[in-house]
Amino acid sequence: MKRDYGIFQVGLKILLRKGGMVLFLRDDQGLDLPGGRIDNVEYQVSLEKIIAREVREELGRSVKYVLGKPLFHFRRKRFLKDAHPQFVFLVVYGARWIAGNITLSHEHESYEWVDPKKYILRRSDFGQAEEYRALLHYFRRHA
């Protein structure tokens, strides 16, 4: 196989904190954070506006937060229905909850606020090991 540059989609997530708690969403792959991929019509849109769109879509319009700086990143491999993989590079920003009620989209089954100092992250909670390791490393240093 000829070596070439990898092609990745880019996604933006938030690690949303409410007091000492962190928001986790749950989907068919396991635990997830709010956010998603940059759309093909958003090349000129600010990253902050893209994150705001994703948060509205996944958590509802009433959720208010203050966006912080990038905290960590990871890669995710997803398979489409036709078995072709998608590779996504995800950057996770810190965010602080202000107000609102969570209204989940169809993309997630449930949500929970967890205390990262007490919550035990398990490899089986994540679709891929790199995502698990990134969160584990972050929580060990910043819980």
Side-chain angles (χ1 to χ4, degrees):
M1 173 184 255
K2 181 183 173 197
R3 185 180 178 113
D4 202 351
Y5 294 111
I7 297 173
F8 285 83
Q9 296 176 4
V10 178
L12 306 168
K13 299 273 188 181
I14 61 171
L15 184 68
L16 187 57
R17 290 184 177 269
K18 182 179 181 182
M21 308 296 268
V22 171
L23 180 68
F24 276 125
L25 307 178
R26 188 167 293 278
D27 64 16
D28 61 349
Q29 299 290 310
L31 294 179
D32 194 15
L33 298 172
R37 289 173 281 185
I38 297 174
D39 289 346
N40 66 349
V41 296
E42 295 179 311
Y43 293 116
Q44 302 299 315
V45 177
S46 73
L47 298 179
E48 294 81 4
K49 287 184 179 179
I50 295 169
I51 292 170
R53 174 187 56 77
E54 282 290 343
V55 170
R56 272 192 317 276
E57 288 175 5
E58 294 191 355
L59 301 183
R61 294 192 171 277
S62 75
V63 171
K64 306 293 182 227
Y65 61 94
V66 174
L67 188 64
K69 63 183 181 175
L71 302 175
F72 59 94
H73 57 271
F74 57 90
R75 295 168 297 181
R76 183 184 280 172
K77 182 178 182 180
R78 296 276 190 174
F79 289 93
L80 299 174
K81 293 177 185 170
D82 62 2
H84 289 91
Q86 292 180 334
F87 299 93
V88 185
F89 182 83
L90 293 131
V91 179
V92 179
Y93 285 74
R96 184 174 45 86
W97 175 272
I98 300 294
N101 295 311
I102 293 175
T103 306
L104 289 180
S105 73
H106 69 280
E107 296 178 38
H108 295 95
E109 302 161 2
S110 62
Y111 70 91
E112 59 186 310
W113 290 98
V114 301
D115 182 343
K117 293 178 183 176
K118 297 178 183 174
Y119 191 82
I120 298 171
L121 291 175
R122 294 178 177 80
R123 168 60 187 95
S124 60
D125 285 331
F126 298 90
Q128 288 155 34
E130 186 171 326
E131 187 169 352
Y132 163 71
R133 287 191 307 267
L135 278 157
L136 187 64
H137 179 74
Y138 179 80
F139 284 154
R140 283 184 178 161
R141 294 176 55 216
H142 303 284

